[in-house]
Amino acid sequence: MTDYFSPPASAPTPAGAPPTSGNLPEFSISEISRAIKRTLETSFDRVRIRGEISGFKRAASGHLYMTLKDADAAIDGVCWKGVAQRLALRPEDGMEVIATGRITSYPGRSKYQIVIDALELAGEGALLKLLEDRKRKLAAEGLFDPARKKPLPYLPEVIGVITSPTGAVIRDILHRLEDRFPRRVLVWPVLVQGEGAAEQVARAIEGFNRLAVDAPLPRPDVLIVARGGGALEDLWSFNEEVVARAAAASDIPLISAVGHETDTTLIDFVSDRRAPTPTAAAEMAVPVRAELRAVVLDMERRLSSGLSRLLTERRSEVTGLGRGLPDPLRLLGEKTQLLDDRAERLHLAIGRGLEQRQARVAELGARLPHPRQQLSATAQGLLSLGERLALAGKGQLRDLARQLASLTPRPPERELAFAGQTLEAWRERLDPAIARRQRQAGDQLAETLRLLDSLSYRNVLRRGFAMVHSADALVTKAAQLLPGQALTIEFGDGCAEAVVDAPPGAVTSPAAPAGAKAASAEPTKP
């Protein structure tokens, strides 16, 4: 059965339609497209559609284009720039939304679509929710920590690229590297979409890291994981946990270049650098050779200019210092003249010194006595000494006689009298010495008593403190007390007996505990 389109009764018959052989009118493509457009806009002037956003993109003009889909169907959506600026949320792939607008058609492609006037969030899509859950899990493990990210080498020798070997991505990367700074590139071909793509990407990252530094196949200095743009489902392989963990565990610095600038995957968060496009990743990996050459030439020019300027400054400085130095020949002539002058003065001084020494010797020689005079004086001295020795010998004989006379034994009475006199003299000297010693000992004892009294604990007790004794020891802590224990409390004016009624810690008031009671009314003196 074939259904034919019949225009509504309100739709006028196109003017100038050629006659037909039957009852059905004949339309041009444009006429039938306009008729369909009017029918859709009349029947579905205002609708609300719930679905998941897919293939979202923002055109350079500011218009938004997307596809709203559910499990069984999909419809294109467009949001004009003026409405897009007033939207309450920012559309993203995987977001489940409710779109309000009108149904219309796009005759240029014979497709119908919804022109969105309002957009509100209806709930998270399954893929987006899974992505957010994985992102929170990996962030909690610290894989997104900026401190883990490694710096990129300035000029790597070898660059490893993990991407599809047949796509335009690898050609863009190689072309950009050739333009900027040609380097050796190792390509590890992998699937970038579909079943098994995530496992291949993870194995490629691990394989590059397992290469030895001195192996025949060199180990890359930097890795680039690249893929072109696409919908969320197309990029999902790079949201897999196995890829994110392999990128985080890479010892080689890694640049992620998956999708376009607005596309974000989990590998972007764990990689060391994220590039908005594969071409930008190649630009991050190497500097521009021409710019580097220009920088080197500029540095060479600056170094040469600096050295030249330094030499000129040093030459000027040496020249200026040289102008301040005297002429060496003139200095030598002055010193030669000074040496001749000193030599002449030395010769004259030696002659005058010899003349002075000769005159002094003559003067001292004139003052010396004649040897006969010296012999005569010596003989007279010897005669005088002889006379003095004779007189001294006679005096010594007299003294010796007196000593012999004193050695004659005394009578016993005289010996007793002499001993008594000696004893009386010692007694007179002993009494004052004993009295003096007693005074010194008394003063020292009084000083010691004063010091002992100043250091005594009784002075502390007289100021209001007390000392607690148990039966066998001095009590210094409350923890030493036991209920029912007998105590002796010593005050400044006496002692009192007491018994512990409460355990330690039970009394918190500074007042006297109720369980402590005196055993005697009158204190005992310490």
Side-chain angles (χ1 to χ4, degrees):
M1 178 179 179
T2 303
D3 293 332
Y4 294 93
F5 173 77
S6 297
S10 59
T13 300
T20 59
S21 58
N23 295 328
L24 296 176
E26 183 178 331
F27 299 98
S28 66
I29 301 299
S30 299
E31 290 173 341
I32 197 67
S33 297
R34 286 194 297 268
I36 293 173
K37 182 179 181 69
R38 284 194 300 271
T39 300
L40 289 174
E41 292 179 351
T42 302
S43 302
F44 302 95
D45 181 52
R46 193 74 175 169
V47 295
R48 285 169 58 85
I49 298 177
R50 177 169 181 161
E52 180 179 329
I53 297 176
S54 178
F56 171 79
K57 62 180 179 179
R58 184 185 298 271
S61 61
H63 306 320
L64 306 181
Y65 297 94
M66 67 194 75
T67 300
L68 298 178
K69 65 179 182 179
D70 58 14
D72 300 319
I75 183 174
D76 290 340
V78 59
C79 183
W80 307 125
K81 177 180 179 181
V83 179
Q85 294 175 350
R86 299 193 301 270
L87 291 180
L89 56 86
R90 182 177 181 181
E92 295 180 3
D93 287 337
M95 185 181 294
E96 189 174 358
V97 297
I98 297 176
T100 303
R102 56 186 175 86
I103 301 296
T104 184
S105 66
Y106 182 53
R109 294 184 181 177
S110 298
K111 296 178 66 176
Y112 69 97
Q113 62 187 8
I114 178 173
V115 179
I116 299 173
D117 297 328
L119 203 62
E120 59 187 84
L121 188 65
E124 293 182 331
L127 293 179
L128 187 60
K129 185 176 184 304
L130 179 59
L131 177 61
E132 291 299 325
D133 292 341
R134 288 179 179 174
K135 186 185 299 184
R136 285 192 293 269
K137 176 182 176 182
L138 297 179
E141 296 179 11
L143 298 187
F144 301 165
D145 188 1
R148 297 182 66 258
K149 299 185 182 299
K150 298 174 286 296
L152 301 181
Y154 179 71
L155 186 59
E157 292 292 334
V158 181
I159 300 174
V161 179
I162 302 172
T163 188
S164 173
T166 59
V169 171
I170 185 61
R171 291 195 297 272
D172 292 343
I173 293 176
L174 294 177
H175 179 70
R176 197 58 177 162
L177 290 176
E178 183 69 23
D179 290 343
R180 291 174 66 86
F181 207 119
R183 297 280 88 184
R184 182 175 182 181
V185 178
L186 299 180
V187 180
W188 193 304
V190 295
L191 292 175
V192 293
Q193 182 178 343
E195 186 70 24
E199 289 73 14
Q200 289 189 19
V201 172
R203 285 197 297 269
I205 296 174
E206 295 170 356
F208 272 132
N209 279 271
R210 282 197 296 267
L211 292 176
V213 179
D214 54 352
L217 187 64
R219 180 180 182 181
D221 300 312
V222 65
L223 297 181
I224 298 177
V225 179
R227 188 205 186 282
L232 181 62
E233 296 86 348
D234 300 333
L235 304 178
W236 190 252
S237 298
F238 299 92
N239 288 321
E240 296 292 346
E241 190 172 340
V242 63
V243 174
R245 293 191 180 278
S250 175
D251 294 329
I252 304 174
L254 187 143
I255 303 173
S256 65
V258 177
H260 296 303
E261 187 171 358
T262 57
D263 300 323
T264 304
T265 57
L266 281 182
I267 194 174
D268 295 331
F269 295 98
V270 298
S271 61
D272 299 303
R273 290 286 296 275
R274 176 187 179 268
T277 61
T279 303
E283 294 175 355
M284 290 181 181
V286 295
V288 180
R289 180 170 54 182
E291 293 179 358
L292 185 59
R293 182 183 295 111
V295 170
V296 172
L297 293 176
D298 181 65
M299 294 178 67
E300 179 185 6
R301 179 185 57 78
R302 292 171 59 188
L303 179 61
S304 176
S305 176
L307 288 175
S308 176
R309 186 169 56 255
L310 180 62
L311 291 176
T312 302
E313 292 175 355
R314 293 293 185 268
R315 185 179 295 108
S316 299
E317 185 178 355
V318 170
T319 302
L321 293 175
R323 284 195 296 268
L325 291 175
D327 186 6
L329 296 178
R330 182 171 57 83
L331 286 178
L332 184 60
E334 292 177 356
K335 297 304 179 183
T336 302
Q337 183 180 0
L338 180 61
L339 179 61
D340 294 339
D341 181 60
R342 296 293 172 83
E344 183 179 357
R345 292 173 60 186
L346 178 62
H347 180 71
L348 296 175
I350 291 175
R352 286 196 300 270
L354 290 176
E355 294 176 355
Q356 291 175 359
R357 295 297 186 275
Q358 291 174 356
R360 181 61 177 169
V361 169
E363 180 183 356
L364 293 176
R367 294 170 58 184
L368 287 176
H370 195 273
R372 285 192 293 271
Q373 294 177 352
Q374 293 182 358
L375 291 175
S376 176
T378 302
Q380 292 178 359
L382 290 175
L383 292 175
S384 175
L385 287 175
E387 293 176 355
R388 291 171 62 188
L389 286 175
L391 294 174
K394 295 179 180 179
Q396 289 179 357
L397 289 175
R398 287 193 297 270
D399 292 340
L400 182 59
R402 293 194 192 96
Q403 291 177 3
L404 290 175
S406 63
L407 293 177
T408 305
R410 300 177 183 175
E413 294 82 7
R414 293 184 62 186
E415 290 291 337
L416 289 174
F418 180 79
Q421 293 175 359
T422 303
L423 183 61
E424 183 63 18
W426 280 104
R427 186 187 64 78
E428 292 176 358
R429 294 175 60 188
L430 183 61
D431 290 340
I434 292 175
R436 185 170 57 256
R437 182 58 181 164
Q438 287 178 346
R439 287 194 302 272
Q440 293 176 353
D443 294 340
Q444 186 176 4
L445 179 60
E447 182 66 21
T448 303
L449 290 175
R450 284 194 298 272
L451 179 61
L452 180 62
D453 184 70
S454 65
L455 298 177
S456 176
Y457 72 96
R458 298 186 184 279
N459 289 332
V460 181
L461 297 180
R462 282 194 289 270
R463 293 201 299 270
F465 293 88
M467 189 162 56
V468 181
H469 300 269
S470 63
D472 54 351
L474 178 67
V475 178
T476 58
K477 297 180 180 179
Q480 296 177 282
L481 301 178
L482 298 173
Q485 183 178 4
L487 302 174
T488 300
I489 302 176
E490 184 178 355
F491 299 93
D493 58 347
C495 297
E497 302 295 327
V499 177
V500 177
D501 190 22
V507 180
T508 59
S509 174
K517 51 187 178 180
S520 58
E522 295 183 358
T524 60
K525 295 294 182 179

